[in-house]
Amino acid sequence: MVTVRYGTHTCELKEGESLLDGLLRHGVPVAHACKAGSCGSCLLRSVEGQVPPSAQAGLKDSWKARGYFLACVCHPTGDLIAEPGGSDIRIAATITALDHLTHDVVRVHLACQAPFDFRPGQYLTLFRDDGLARSYSIANLPEEREIELHVRRVPNGRMSGWLFEGARTGAQVQLQGPSGECFYVPGRQDQPILLIATGTGLAPLYGIVRDALRSGHRGPIHLFHGATRPEGLYLAKELAAMSAAHGNMSYTACVLQADAPGPFEIGQIGQVVASRFSELDGWRGFVCGDPSVVRSLKQQLFLAGMAMRDIYTDAFLPSAA
Ligand SMILES: Cc1cc2nc3c(=O)[nH]c(=O)nc-3n(C[C@H](O)[C@H](O)[C@H](O)COP(=O)(O)OP(=O)(O)OC[C@H]3O[C@@H](n4cnc5c(N)ncnc54)[C@H](O)[C@@H]3O)c2cc1C
């Protein structure tokens, strides 16, 4: 039986139980969201005892060296003393603007109080002052002064509901990260690129497209954005203008239902993409947004010939209970 000490709490883990689940079972409050080792909300630091390498997979080397690990995927084999993630991995930020882009998408601007280095398309973990934590993709370029997030309001969502209607400019939050491998890597400048987003999956792709263009990517760049209805197609005018300004970039909006025709395709986004591009050997792909759509599009791109190593995805996994 493994014993874990966390602050003033001591608990024994059940067979096969993660450290996070063990602490939560004992009523210990620990920030968490995806419970799948991807969002980084449950980052803790080991003070004594051995952390399995799998609980540190994907973390920055500097964080690993300081004993940080993800509690949701940590299954220790020996006793462990852990403490909460500290100010050395989070920076303070102020909400400077909250722009409602559609009936359920808000654009959040954040001014960081210390440098926050990232690649466009990566994501961060946003901590509210009560410890609630959620992941959001970064939509801006590093040289733009403020961090930009696109947040969709989820019914009864604690963080998205707060950002949509409770939060005020001037509110203080904390940021941790960045995380994720979904970003443009310069090189292979003539390679065709396909980017597909559903909903606020557009946030990382908005950063990636602009990063590729400013890096001088010469190959064609095709961006598809899907929404349920036309009113969900936020930033459509801006993306159409970007496409008009760059001969190698195209933007296709796509909706499931519409009352009248418009500057969009109607149908499943995967079918719209397949009708345009059926052979993707040698292409690079980025897919972000709803987890089930991301899963099926990843398979679609692979079956159309795209190499798995050239497919970058971020599935917006909901928080687990
Ligand atoms: C890597 C990563 C990147 C992400 N990037 C973004 C982003 O850029 N923009 C963005 O808007 N979101 C993004 N998300 C999702 C985000 O982290 C939150 O899960 C989301 O905002 C809901 O949090 P909440 O606290 O409002 O809802 P919660 O209080 O956690 O959930 C409320 C209820 O809604 C359900 N629920 C939660 N999410 C969904 C969903 N997506 N669909 C249906 N039901 C749901 C829950 O199961 C629960 O019953 C990302 C997630 C991950 C893992």
Side-chain angles (χ1 to χ4, degrees), residues 234-250:
Y234 69 94
L235 298 184
K237 278 191 188 142
E238 190 171 338
L239 290 166
M242 196 187 294
S243 159
H246 295 90
N248 63 334
M249 188 240 163
S250 77

Side-chain angles (χ1 to χ4, degrees), residues 34 38-39 123 132 134-137 150-152 154-161 200 203-204 314-319:
C34 76
S38 79
C39 76
Y123 59 89
L132 183 71
R134 295 288 181 264
S135 301
Y136 293 104
S137 301
H150 303 164
V151 179
R152 181 174 76 86
V154 167
N156 303 317
R158 281 166 292 166
M159 183 68 90
S160 61
T200 45
D314 259 339
F316 289 2
L317 297 171
S319 55

